[in-house]
Amino acid sequence: MTASNPATEPQTTGVEATARTYQVNTFGCQMNVHDSERIAGLLETAGMVPVDADAQEGEADVVVFNTCAVRENADNKLYGHLGMLKAAKDENPNLQIAVGGCLAQKDRDTIVKRAPWVDVVFGTHNVGSLPVLLDRARHNKEAQVEILEALEVFPSTLPAKRESHSAGWVSISVGCNNTCTFCIVPSLRGKEKDRRPGEILAEVQALVDDGAIEVTLLGQNVNSYGVEFGDRQAFSKLLRACGEIEGLERVRFTSPHPAMFTDDVIEAMAETPNVMPQLHMPLQSGSDKVLKDMRRSYRSKKFLGILEKVRERMPHAAITTDIIVGFPGETEEDFQETMRVVEEARFHQAFTFQYSPRPGTPAAEYENQVPKDVVQERFERLVALQDRISAEENQKLIGTTVELIVADSKGRKAEETGRLAGRAQDQRLVHFSVPEGAETPRPGDAVTVPITHAGSFHLLSDPSIEQYSLRRTRSGDAWERAQADSCSPGGGANGKGVSLGMPSLRPEA
C-alpha cells in the first residue's frame, strides 16, 4: 500500500524547512495491511509526510517494504524492488530503505547480506521500533537489524494512518496456534495472543466516534479468539457486543477456521443486525486425505455442514474461500473431491492458489511433490468451475435492490465508464452510475440501487433517477471534513490523518 493523500508542507519560520517524505509498500495479507497502517501512523507521528500517490519508488526520503513470506515468489518480489532502488540509493545516500514483515522475520540478516544498501530490517513483533531504528541507522551510518521473538506491543495500540473514513480494521488477536504443514505464519507471527474485549470495543468505539460506520474484526484464526483467557464463546459475545455500539452499521470478520466454527457464532451472526451476511472461510482442499496431510483438523463434511447452517439462518449470505491446488500427494481423485465440494458449496468467490513449498514448513520436505504442469492444469480447471459458479450466483441478483457504502477508490475504469464503486452488505463489489440530475454521493455515503447487470467478479447498476436513493452518512461528513483539513494550514498528514484504526481494502477494478 502506498500512502495516497499528499500532505501540505509544514509551516516554516524564517528558513525553508521541508518534512521528510515516506512511502509504504505492502505485500501480503490483511495482517500486513493492518501493520502498514501502523507504520504510516508511526512515521507521521515522527514528523514525516507521504509522497504523492503517483510518486515512483525512490522519490521518498524513506521507503518501507512490509513483506509476505507465504508465496513462493515473495523473495524474488522483494529483492526485485530492492534491486531497482539501488541506483536511487547510490544517487541519494540520504535515502533510507526499511524492510519489515514476515519475510524480514524469516530472513533477518540475509536481507542486508543480499542487499547491503538496506538501512533497517525489523520483524513482525517490533513494528513500533521503526522510527528509532531509522534514526539509529542515520546516526551510526550502518544497517540496523532488530528481530524480536515475542510481541513487543500489540499493533493496535500504535498510531495509524487511515485512508478510509467509513471503514476500519480492528485486530482482536495476533499469531496462530495451528500447525498446518503448508503454512509458515505461526513461526513468524508466534502463538496466538488475544486482546481483552474491553480494549477491542474501545477501539471500535473510537473508530465510530471518528466517523466510521463499518469495522472488520481481524485475526489469524478470528473465531478461536478467547483461547488465551479460556472463554470458548468469547468471539460470539464480541460480535453481539459490537451490535450494541450506536452508529456502527456493518461488522465483518476474517478469517475463521472451520475446525473452531461453532453454532454460537452462527447464532450471533444471524441475530445481530449489524453483523453482515458474509463469511470468508478457507476450505484449502475438498479431499479428506489432503486435509489430513495438511494437518487441517476438519473434513469436507464438517465444512459443508457449517455452510448449510449459515445459509439456514442467513439464506442470502455470500460465502468465499481459499483453496490450494497441487498439495504434495494430491491425486486426480483428491482433486475431483475438491471440485465436488466447490460445486456443492456454491461459493460466491474462491481465492485459488497453486501450492508452493515454503522452506521451514513440513510440506516442503514431502517427497511426493506434484509436477508443475499437473498443478497448472488442475488450477485452470478449478478456476473455470468457480468462474462459472460465481457468474451463476451473481446472475441471481439481477433485479434485487442493494444498499452500498461508496468506496474511496473508483476503480481503474471509472474515467471510461463514469461509474462509482461500493460494497453491498454481503461484501459484493458493485459499480454503479449516478442518474443525471441526482446528487453524487461522497465516499462513505450510502446509496440504494438495483442490480442491472452481473459478471463473475462484480455487479453493475445503472439505475433510473426513480430507482436511485442517497443517504448521507457520518462517514461522508468525515471524508468531507478531511478534504477541508488537508487544504488548510496544519492539516494533511500531520493533522487529523493519524488515528487508531485502519482502512477497508480498496475495491478491485
Side-chain angles (χ1 to χ4, degrees), residues 3-4 25 59 63 90 105 124 210 219 235 251 279 289 297 304 324 329 349 357 381 415 437 462 476 479 486 496 506:
S4 61
N25 300 284
E59 293 184 16
V63 179
D90 291 340
Q105 187 79 20
T124 59
D210 202 33
F235 184 60
V251 178
L279 175 65
K289 171 186 167 293
S297 48
L304 290 170
I324 296 172
Q349 190 174 7
R381 276 192 281 160
E415 295 299 325
D462 292 316
W479 178 87
S486 67
K496 295 185 179 180
R506 291 176 175 175

Side-chain angles (χ1 to χ4, degrees), residues 179-403:
T179 56
C180 300
T181 56
F182 58 83
C183 186
I184 198 171
V185 168
S187 65
L188 303 179
R189 292 276 180 180
K191 292 292 185 181
E192 181 174 327
K193 186 173 181 58
D194 296 331
R195 296 175 73 190
R196 301 301 298 186
E199 295 177 7
I200 296 167
L201 294 172
E203 183 178 347
V204 173
Q205 184 65 63
L207 284 168
V208 172
D209 291 344
D210 202 33
I213 57 177
E214 177 179 328
V215 298
T216 301
L217 305 177
L218 182 65
Q220 209 72 52
N221 290 310
V222 70
N223 57 327
S224 66
Y225 172 73
V227 65
E228 193 176 30
F229 48 84
D231 186 350
R232 293 188 177 184
Q233 294 194 344
F235 184 60
S236 61
K237 292 175 183 176
L238 184 62
L239 290 177
R240 292 182 185 275
C242 287
E244 300 298 320
I245 297 177
E246 186 176 353
L248 180 59
E249 298 186 15
R250 296 184 175 187
V251 178
R252 308 185 192 277
F253 58 89
T254 192
S255 293
H257 193 291
M260 298 130 188
F261 209 102
T262 51
D263 291 350
D264 62 296
V265 173
I266 297 174
E267 292 304 309
M269 293 175 66
E271 295 173 4
T272 309
N274 63 358
V275 175
M276 295 294 97
Q278 175 232 341
L279 175 65
H280 179 81
M281 188 167 64
L283 169 64
Q284 305 302 9
S285 175
S287 163
D288 289 350
K289 171 186 167 293
V290 172
L291 289 172
K292 182 179 179 181
D293 292 343
M294 288 178 167
R295 215 176 287 160
R296 300 284 287 180
S297 48
Y298 58 89
R299 299 296 177 258
S300 60
K301 183 177 180 180
K302 177 180 175 65
F303 187 95
L304 290 170
I306 294 170
L307 303 195
E308 184 178 356
K309 289 179 181 178
V310 168
R311 286 170 170 148
E312 282 177 358
R313 299 291 280 118
M314 293 166 284
H316 302 297
I319 299 174
T320 58
T321 196
D322 298 330
I323 302 173
I324 296 172
V325 178
F327 186 79
E330 180 190 76
T331 64
E332 176 63 23
E333 290 73 20
D334 293 323
F335 177 68
Q336 286 299 327
E337 279 296 285
T338 294
M339 297 283 276
R340 176 188 66 81
V341 173
V342 169
E343 185 78 70
E344 188 172 340
R346 306 294 297 180
F347 297 116
H348 154 57
Q349 190 174 7
F351 301 91
T352 52
F353 305 92
Q354 297 186 39
Y355 171 76
S356 58
R358 304 307 297 142
T361 62
E365 306 299 322
Y366 292 172
E367 294 181 357
N368 50 353
Q369 302 288 327
V370 182
K372 287 281 188 182
D373 59 334
V374 175
V375 177
Q376 179 66 34
E377 191 272 338
R378 290 176 184 170
F379 176 80
E380 291 173 0
R381 276 192 281 160
L382 178 60
V383 169
L385 171 62
Q386 183 56 53
D387 285 354
R388 173 179 65 78
I389 293 171
S390 295
E392 290 171 354
E393 293 302 306
N394 281 346
Q395 284 289 325
K396 296 176 183 178
L397 297 174
I398 294 177
T400 63
T401 299
V402 295
E403 183 179 70

